[in-house]
Amino acid sequence: MADGRKGTYPVAETVAPVVAEYARRLPGCLTAPAAVDSIPWRRSDMDVNREVLLDLHYRMLRIRLFEEEAGKLSEAGRIPGALHLYVGEEAVAAGVMAHLTDADQLTSTHRGHGHLVAKGGDFKKMYAELFGRSTGYCKGKGGSMHIADVDLGMLGANGIVGGGPPIAIGAAFANKYRGTRNVTVCFFGDGASNEGTFHEAANMAALYRLPVVFVCENNGFGEFTPQAKHQAIRDVADRATSYGMPGLIVDGMDAVAVYESAGEAIERARRGEGPTLLEAKTYRFFDHVGVRGMGVSYRADEEVLEWRKRDPLLSFEQKLVETGVTDQGSINALRERVLFEINEAITFAQESPFPDESQLLEDVYAVSGGVR
Amino acid sequence: MADGRKGTYPVAETVAPVVAEYARRLPGCLTAPAAVDSIPWRRSDMDVNREVLLDLHYRMLRIRLFEEEAGKLSEAGRIPGALHLYVGEEAVAAGVMAHLTDADQLTSTHRGHGHLVAKGGDFKKMYAELFGRSTGYCKGKGGSMHIADVDLGMLGANGIVGGGPPIAIGAAFANKYRGTRNVTVCFFGDGASNEGTFHEAANMAALYRLPVVFVCENNGFGEFTPQAKHQAIRDVADRATSYGMPGLIVDGMDAVAVYESAGEAIERARRGEGPTLLEAKTYRFFDHVGVRGMGVSYRADEEVLEWRKRDPLLSFEQKLVETGVTDQGSINALRERVLFEINEAITFAQESPFPDESQLLEDVYAVSGGVR
Amino acid sequence: MTTAEAPAAREIPYVSAVNEAIRQLMEADPDVFIAGEDVAGYGGVFGVSRGLLGEFGERRVVDTPISESAIVGLGVGAAAAGLRPIIDIMFMDFMGVCMDEVVNQMAKMRYMFGGKARLPLTLHTMAGGGMNMAAQHSQCLEAWFCHIPGLKVVMPSGAYEAKGLMVAAVRDDNPVIVVNNKLSLGMKAHVPEELYEIPLGKANIVRPGTNFTIVATGRMVHESVRAAEMLTADGLDVEVIDPRTLQPFDTETCVESVRKTHRALVAHEAVRFGGIGAEFAAQIQEEAFDYLDAPVGRVGAPFAPVPFSPALEKHYIPTADTIAAEVRRLLGKQG
Amino acid sequence: MTTAEAPAAREIPYVSAVNEAIRQLMEADPDVFIAGEDVAGYGGVFGVSRGLLGEFGERRVVDTPISESAIVGLGVGAAAAGLRPIIDIMFMDFMGVCMDEVVNQMAKMRYMFGGKARLPLTLHTMAGGGMNMAAQHSQCLEAWFCHIPGLKVVMPSGAYEAKGLMVAAVRDDNPVIVVNNKLSLGMKAHVPEELYEIPLGKANIVRPGTNFTIVATGRMVHESVRAAEMLTADGLDVEVIDPRTLQPFDTETCVESVRKTHRALVAHEAVRFGGIGAEFAAQIQEEAFDYLDAPVGRVGAPFAPVPFSPALEKHYIPTADTIAAEVRRLLGKQG
Ligand SMILES: Cc1ncc(C[n+]2csc(CCOP(=O)(O)OP(=O)(O)O)c2C)c(N)n1
Ligand SMILES: Cc1ncc(C[n+]2csc(CCOP(=O)(O)OP(=O)(O)O)c2C)c(N)n1
Ligand SMILES: [Mg+2]
Ligand SMILES: [Mg+2]
């Protein structure tokens, strides 16, 4: 349980150890030289240095590969239940999570793998959970839609659209109550922004000036319904006005842009100045459930292809190489390395035991085993 | 049941028969001469003629006297249950309802008497309902918090804060579905504007361009909590932005101002241009429940007195007299006349039988009498 | 298969039966419309409303935002204003986000208004597990609604029932909650082409028998029939009753059966504790007390949320085996 | 009055007992806070949190907007993050607007996360009629929550129970719903000054008896005791049991009693159909079948929303008379 005391806060301090940790595990990845100030898509005064860029890339890459492999397994019928994959939206999770410590929390959605990966989730426990094994994050009881790591502050994917915001403000309330500088990030979709729970939570967060950031992942669809058919506004960020909080819009396909805006919002929250609504315009490359994202009835392939041109991972890699932050060889090596880790994790998951019938009634209550 | 076919629409047509009807019953009230154009607080091009002014006054007066008498009965322990009285807010109901026909609908709140009186509710059936008698609007089954007259389009007071908006959009949907030009007005409080149901309904109304007007009666309090302690915004009308609908603010102590703004919003709805959020700044003179509105812990007497200076009924009467629309004598006569009607209604109510035990299981279902 | 009627059998799947019912109801009555998340463009995530948009257009087949309270409210207001809405709440688990609208507005409006409102509204939803969708997409929560005066609740067991009960629900002038089961959607049965109605509140004796009564709901009707077949080996001749409507419950048919068989069990997929089986069992023991040779048993899910892992879920949802085992256990208890 | 313990009696009203429990719990544990509508400045519309703001300040006594889903979510998130919230939902009828938060989040989080979340959260609410507050301010909906794995539900019958169960609820590491009754708030009883705990899941034999068992919840405990007194005239020696906790239910104590008395009835204020009494009755007939001389009866509200008019409401809510009449009816049914 994140107890609100172990976090460190300024961006640089937050990010540095994460990257150092990656670096330790992945020495090859951090060798290419690049002058921080030469990075052409740096936008603000925020400290977007080389380590941050590599960190963002690493997080995105891990999500992408995790999701692609999960998708394959699901299509092959080897993972039970439904998967809502995050491919296409990686920049949002990466850009936000790069600012968070383990003591910071987040609430997620049905599309939650990316958030957990970006927060530092363990591939083994993640795949094991998707496979319904007892070694999974939730001992196989939650699955994709409830994957969680409370120790990492990841307060759960959620099967209920709009389920996250009320919980997020509760965690934020606890942070404030204890006088920590921890922040809670609440991810939700454009579709979820129409649930009453979002409205109630946003109002309460602003009223109490809670240290929470509402990140709307606007991927243009709620299931199969395009945004224009579920709300009469174009920018979910406009809703910030309703609560007296700032609303920001950011290009959700650009990890640096997300990193910068999220950084502002998160710092504002840490300073005790209250919540922000940050809307990231993004797109899901895959289907609502599963993999197939093209040749579907509810959107044109051209639209998908248009968005795919701005692939948050691939375009980022291209820039990294172009600007000399790293080189293609390092990226390839890193990709191999992550894939290796993923394959290990999948093997681990598949070799793990299923939960035993005796576990069925466990974990219902904290003390007793439940009644019949 | 308002079947969506019997309404007439333009303002003048709407109001004229109402006033004519009042005039028929109250000849004394319509004799004082006044040139329409000489009315000094006329604000827009809307046809706020003498008849409209008298209509607004009459509606407010009826509400005020109904509520004052109900309050006395309640304080005397002669009416069971809790009453949420509308005194101080009369201008809102009057200004809105003057635009509505019997085929137009409204959803109300726990503070619903004023809305029903203004819509043309029958005093006898209203008091009988408050007294829990079988002759009441709801045969004594609903009471103050559920008083309704579906034939008049009054779809019920509501014991659930935020209960009205979803129902209102349903009625509006039916109006649109049938191609009528009927409008539904949804009354709700500043406190209710924090319920998720309001958010969901407003979004849906804007999306479908439903003929509905959301009228926020912002009386500065949700129960005993001042607005500043329940939301971080000052103007509920700002929330219109969230849905892509216009938001208007109006002085809720001024019936003409409400009449004009509501007229715009209602006409817009009738034209098929969708919903409007109209915020009326008002104040409840009495307590949240019952009568005592001063000497309470949660607000200063000075505040109450300040608002009372702008009493929507008394200040309106003063203007009516000053501008020669009517004279004090006529007002006094009208007041006597309404009080007479009220006393008759109270007598009727008190002499009416209580529902019999046999009625307990009736009206649960449309056909069968319910199961045990 | 669960119905007596089955002549020149046109067999169609459950999902098509529901779809056909809605289509024919909409053809028959211009006041009927359907609204819900992805019911129009996509035809419903379970295919229940497939093809309706093409036939009836956006005016009558309405995609909604993800706003369940407003969706149900849309139905309540429209019904109060004289239309006959079919409201779709995708998963029964989501009833929590619109519970007030269902139980405090939809259920009570008529009574609170002294009988002066009429709410011909059908709320269609999908319940049940077996698809590894975990705790928030697998529940059976019908007991909540059966407890609320003003609501009716039906739970079709097969394609024939699905169509006939849907028709009865939509034609009823009261709010009716139609609880379909995901795993049943593909099950085929004879379904007449015409618009027919299965009367609400009438149970169906699916399998007549003489010395044990199983009252089972929804998909458990089939598991119970299978259990009954298994139990013939034990020399038991089990009667299986499908109440079809849970609220109002057809006490008579069930009690009459028990008076004949002297033993009974109620089976449902919902959690056993506080499930509707408790009510049925309580009624049966009360009305048939003198005829009972054993306590009225109950089969339901154990007291845990629905687990994700197939390895756990398979132990969670009752099956023919669970039911047969419980029958045998009860016989052991026989007084 | 309903408790065995009552020495140097300090008698205080029910509402003060709840208030005292909260105050002492907050004094004892800095992680306990209370949030709800008008709980701070106003002290709660029922006076439950009176004086707390003055003692603990705005940080720990929190007035909320009228946003029940967010209020419960505030509790869920704060509990998951290690605090020990007391969340107030003013009327139980309002649970509908936050039902998802309660049953899909609060109740299931621990299980869904494989036991890795702890939710020490108390949800306090007020139920019951008798105040002419009509259909949306008078309900008893405890059956909904007892049906949901992950929740515990307590229903104090008097001031002594109100304090002791509140303490147990707040100290429990699970979500507990505390259902108090409006009409009981003024009822006095001996209440120890210190922080004491009534263990969850243990029933209390309020009035021992030998030949009839009444299991009654909340305010109906007192009505049942009165009924028991009336029934002495019929030569009956009625045992009255207060389960105190409805989930988990203390089956043993109740069944043991029935094995002794051979007759039983369950009484609650909630609607009879689908009420928690159905579960209790079903369990009792199952576990004590061979001992029963009559069916297990049930007393509850009839199948209608709560009516406003005092003339109707008085026939709606069960009383000692209703209960005594049902006991007599059951004896007539004796096999
Ligand atoms: C309360 C609720 N309603 C409906 C659903 C079904 N559902 C699951 S995901 C989804 C779409 C969510 O859209 P959005 O919030 O934009 O997230 P995205 O899937 O686009 O990431 C819907 C309607 C649900 N899970 N919960
Ligand atoms: C869902 C719900 N929550 C809480 C209440 C209790 N309650 C009744 S009136 C009220 C205040 C409403 O404030 P507002 O909407 O501003 O209306 P006003 O009373 O000021 O007219 C509250 C909290 C309720 N009836 N329903
Ligand atoms: Mg989306
Ligand atoms: Mg207010």
Side-chain angles (χ1 to χ4, degrees), chain B residues 1 137-139 141-142 146 148 155-156 158 160 166-167 170-171 173 177-178 200 204 208 360 362-366 371, chain C residues 30 32-33 59-60 62-64 67 69-70 73-74 77-78 80-81 105 110-114 116 150-151 174 247:
Chain B
M1 194 52 262
Y137 261 119
C138 313
K139 304 184 194 160
K141 286 173 181 168
H146 307 293
L155 299 178
N158 209 309
I160 301 295
I167 298 172
F173 179 90
Y177 188 90
R178 292 194 157 140
E200 296 187 5
M204 211 181 271
Y208 299 150
L360 185 61
E362 287 172 8
D363 302 322
V364 182
Y365 293 98
V371 297
Chain C
V32 177
F33 70 95
R59 174 170 165 272
R60 297 181 66 193
V62 184
D63 271 337
T64 64
S67 310
S69 287
L74 188 84
Q105 313 297 343
R110 180 178 178 82
Y111 191 80
M112 295 189 304
F113 292 4
K116 283 171 206 149
L151 299 179
N174 297 287
Q247 180 61 271

Side-chain angles (χ1 to χ4, degrees), chain A residues 189-191 217 219-222:
Chain A
D190 51 310
E217 302 181 307
N219 61 10
F221 290 88

